[in-house]
Amino acid sequence: MSPAAGRLLVAGVGNIFLGDDAFGPEVIRALDRRPLPPEATVRDFGIRGMDLAYTLLDGCATAVLVDAAPRGHRPGTLTLVEAEPPDGTAVPEAHGMDPEKVLALAAQLGEEPLPRVLVLACEPGVLPRGDEDIAPGLSAPVREAVDRAVEALHTLVPVLLADPAAPAPALGRPVESGTPHPAALPGHVPAGAEDR
């Protein structure tokens, strides 16, 4: 493990120019004001998938990826997901930041088992389709979720530092609250989402 590597990695991922995809980088910025314990390495990886893949192989026991991910909930809902180990079906990708493909790339690059990977995901409201639809800035419900994600990380990280294999603690309301809704459509905030 390099001298700069910590036992736990908190990685913000996402494109700051694609609406709510900037959630991960925004949470990392917010952590500058409320730092996590020094044993945790906190980095914004943006869309540098290869960089993240190599960092996952640098000796950390656990990684928490902070990302926007459509999971069928109200925009701004946080979910904590245990990532499945790569099973060989995802095609590794060196240029991009699809977490499943990054994990597949890391598995292909390294000989050691990957660390435990958790994803702190935020349900997006606005996800442009691609680079031609540049739309910087978070939607209101996702912007409000940034502080809740910081709180969740301050709950989660000490538990994982004490025991990397510990069950993830319940993060409380509004995490996984409410009934699932259709996944966010690119460039669209579902009707009434601004009021939630």
Side-chain angles (χ1 to χ4, degrees):
M1 178 173 11
S2 71
R7 296 182 306 161
L8 185 142
L9 172 67
V10 176
V13 300
N15 189 326
I16 62 170
F17 298 110
L18 296 181
D20 289 341
D21 198 45
F23 175 74
E26 286 296 325
V27 171
I28 299 304
R29 280 185 42 194
L31 285 170
D32 284 343
R33 297 184 299 275
R34 287 197 55 209
L36 292 169
E39 298 87 357
T41 299
V42 178
R43 281 187 56 195
D44 174 10
F45 285 87
I47 56 172
R48 298 183 316 278
M50 177 73 88
D51 210 11
L52 176 56
Y54 276 114
T55 303
L56 289 170
L57 298 171
D58 199 24
C60 68
T62 312
V64 180
L65 308 185
V66 184
D67 194 12
R71 296 182 50 79
H73 297 280
R74 289 183 180 91
T77 299
L78 297 177
T79 56
L80 186 62
V81 181
E82 182 108 26
E84 294 289 327
D87 62 4
T89 58
V91 178
E93 182 179 287
H95 305 288
M97 187 48 94
D98 176 327
E100 185 179 15
K101 293 179 180 179
V102 170
L103 292 177
L105 176 62
Q108 189 177 58
L109 291 171
E111 297 176 8
E112 299 296 319
L114 292 178
R116 178 185 187 192
V117 177
L118 299 167
V119 180
L120 179 60
C122 180
E123 186 73 33
V126 178
L127 279 181
R129 293 184 190 278
D131 295 338
E132 69 279 358
D133 295 331
I134 291 177
L138 299 177
S139 65
V142 173
R143 189 177 322 108
E144 290 168 8
V146 169
D147 287 339
R148 293 196 326 269
V150 168
E151 287 295 329
L153 289 167
H154 275 274
T155 299
L156 178 63
V157 165
V159 171
L160 296 175
L161 285 171
D163 179 3
L171 300 178
R173 218 184 132 264
V175 175
E176 285 284 12
S177 65
T179 53
H181 288 255
L185 299 174
H188 172 72
V189 176
E194 298 88 351
D195 303 324
R196 293 183 188 132

